[in-house]
Amino acid sequence: MFHLNDILIFLFFGIVAFVIPGTLTVWNIYNCFSAKPQKEKLISTVTVLVGGLLYLMLFAITYDTAGDWYEQVNTMQFHYVISSGYWGISWVALLGFAAYFLLLYINTDRLPPLVSAAAISFIILLNVLQITFAVQLSKNIDDPLELLFYVYHFNILLLSARAIQRHTLQQVEIFKNRAAAQDNNIRFKKFYDIINSLSRYTFVIFVALFLVVAIIEIIFVLIGQGLDAPIKAFTDTADWTFSKQTPPPPSDYEGHYLCTVAAGGHKKVVKPLRFGSRRGATIIVNRQLCIANAFEEVIQIKFPSFHRMVRHIYDTYGYPLSKLITNPLRADVVYIIMKPLEWIFLLFLYLVDVRPEQRIRNQYVLQFKR
């Protein structure tokens, strides 16, 4: 039976995860196509800042990143999405967001030409990076909830295209006024006609042109001299789409897959008890893990033939199953699914063992050196 707190948490999660991103996305799409955008500056700012915060929160919940590709991590962790040696490219993204807000809040007639050109360039580079980052994540997008990452990436692309389109329209007005004062300048009039024709494209076509520009920019980066840092930032990694490096095996590669559950689930669900030792490695232990291992210990002593069969099945399917436990939510689900089996193991221990609780407590005890 649900308690009031559970209902409130569920509602809060639904609002944060779906209502806010969905509302902002629909509003941004409306503003991009409408002749009279509503509260465009406010909604765009909230989308970038609040959406970015929610993005970081979802990323922290979904992926536990713990080191570069050459460092050993456990099976519940991932290597860095971007190589730490090239985190300097994050400055390009920050400059891109700064350029976006510059175009959003300052009219074109108040910006010097070089500043306008630099702002548009940085916005394009921002989107090259954010699209590349979105593709980098795609290898480990397993749950529908994780598709929310792409909602934010879509909004950034949408807002960027809208900012450049708005900037172009404002430039058209400036050129229109100048053309009226320079009717005799034939070259100026031809240039104005080109800019004016571009401004009349529909927004869908403009987004397509924006993507073409982004692709061209990627090609220039790929063939440019001394500009390989953005590439290496995504390729000098492990576990992700563009990764080219092979990492060391995970630290608990041969471990009990219930170790993955005990270490990776939410504490209120899986209820970790303490640290323990398994094959020389320190692991997190919960009662479910101890009961399962105590059960295996008993059948190994009393029913060796049965134990060999059980162990064979477990070795065949246990580790592949543990590879599917890639986030705390999945660990929680496995823990709950395993509950009936845990009760069966516990009942068995109480039927055949003289001191079942002592045996359970003795599992995975750390051995300290003096």
Side-chain angles (χ1 to χ4, degrees):
M1 186 174 182
F2 290 104
H3 297 289
L4 179 60
N5 287 342
D6 297 328
I7 296 174
L8 292 175
I9 292 173
F10 179 79
L11 290 175
F12 175 78
F13 177 80
I15 291 171
V16 170
F18 299 104
V19 177
I20 293 177
T23 302
L24 291 173
T25 301
V26 171
W27 206 323
N28 286 325
I29 293 173
Y30 170 82
N31 283 341
C32 287
F33 288 93
S34 175
K36 295 181 178 180
Q38 300 295 317
K39 299 181 179 180
E40 184 173 12
K41 292 181 180 179
L42 174 62
I43 297 302
S44 299
T45 302
V46 171
T47 299
V48 174
L49 299 181
V50 176
L53 179 61
L54 295 178
Y55 187 101
L56 293 175
M57 289 173 59
L58 178 61
F59 188 90
I61 293 171
T62 307
Y63 304 116
D64 179 12
T65 54
D68 276 307
W69 67 267
Y70 50 81
E71 298 179 81
Q72 190 179 54
V73 301
N74 66 49
T75 53
M76 283 297 295
Q77 295 176 319
F78 294 85
H79 293 90
Y80 294 145
V81 183
I82 296 176
S83 175
S84 64
Y86 300 97
W87 279 350
I89 66 169
S90 61
W91 285 103
V92 177
L94 292 175
L95 287 171
F97 281 116
Y100 169 76
F101 285 119
L102 186 72
L103 295 190
L104 179 65
Y105 282 96
I106 299 180
N107 289 332
T108 302
D109 58 359
R110 296 175 56 191
L111 293 174
L114 286 178
V115 174
S116 294
I120 292 174
S121 298
F122 275 115
I123 290 175
I124 291 173
L125 287 174
L126 164 66
N127 280 274
V128 171
L129 287 176
Q130 70 108 356
I131 291 170
T132 305
F133 192 89
V135 177
Q136 180 83 323
L137 291 183
S138 63
K139 181 178 178 180
N140 293 306
I141 297 294
D142 300 317
D143 294 334
L145 183 63
E146 294 167 12
L147 294 176
L148 289 172
F149 288 124
Y150 294 112
V151 174
Y152 185 69
H153 288 291
F154 169 76
N155 275 278
I156 296 302
L157 178 62
L158 196 70
L159 294 177
S160 299
R162 169 61 179 163
I164 297 177
Q165 183 198 37
R166 184 175 55 250
H167 184 79
T168 304
L169 292 172
Q170 291 174 357
Q171 287 284 14
V172 167
E173 289 300 316
I174 293 173
F175 280 117
K176 184 178 180 180
N177 295 331
R178 291 179 183 175
Q182 300 187 38
D183 289 332
N184 296 327
N185 192 326
I186 297 175
R187 290 182 179 178
F188 189 90
K189 188 175 186 304
K190 287 183 178 179
F191 184 69
Y192 163 73
D193 290 338
I194 293 172
I195 296 294
N196 189 43
S197 64
L198 286 173
S199 69
R200 293 177 181 176
Y201 283 117
T202 65
F203 188 77
V204 174
I205 296 176
F206 189 85
V207 170
L209 290 175
F210 179 83
L211 288 172
V212 170
V213 173
I215 292 170
I216 293 173
E217 186 68 25
I218 291 174
I219 293 173
F220 276 116
V221 170
L222 290 174
I223 66 175
Q225 295 180 353
L227 294 178
D228 60 346
I231 302 171
K232 288 185 177 180
F234 291 96
T235 58
D236 279 6
T237 57
D239 305 331
W240 307 96
T241 304
F242 296 120
S243 298
K244 298 297 183 184
Q245 304 296 344
T246 302
S251 57
D252 54 346
Y253 184 88
E254 295 181 313
H256 198 300
Y257 89 88
L258 285 177
C259 296
T260 307
V261 173
H266 293 96
K267 291 183 179 180
K268 290 185 178 180
V269 179
V270 302
K271 299 179 177 62
L273 296 174
R274 55 178 169 82
F275 289 106
S277 177
R278 180 178 176 83
R279 297 179 181 175
T282 301
I283 61 172
I284 297 174
V285 174
N286 67 352
R287 182 169 171 81
Q288 186 177 80
L289 175 60
C290 290
I291 290 173
N293 209 62
F295 168 78
E296 182 182 5
E297 186 178 278
V298 170
I299 63 171
Q300 185 177 13
I301 297 170
K302 297 182 179 293
F303 311 101
S305 298
F306 178 64
H307 171 262
R308 284 193 294 270
M309 181 186 69
V310 170
R311 191 70 225 182
H312 173 73
I313 295 172
Y314 189 83
D315 288 340
T316 303
Y317 300 104
Y319 182 70
L321 283 173
S322 73
K323 295 287 286 183
L324 300 177
I325 309 172
T326 57
N327 57 53
L329 182 60
R330 291 188 177 189
D332 295 346
V333 171
V334 173
Y335 174 83
I336 294 169
I337 292 174
M338 286 293 297
K339 263 296 175 184
L341 201 55
E342 175 192 337
W343 293 332
I344 293 172
F345 291 163
L346 187 62
L347 177 62
F348 175 85
L349 289 172
Y350 270 83
L351 287 172
V352 303
D353 198 10
V354 177
R355 296 178 180 177
E357 288 299 330
Q358 182 176 340
R359 186 181 296 276
I360 293 170
R361 285 195 301 270
N362 289 341
Q363 302 304 310
Y364 304 108
V365 174
L366 281 170
Q367 302 292 328
F368 295 100
K369 295 183 180 180
R370 295 184 179 180

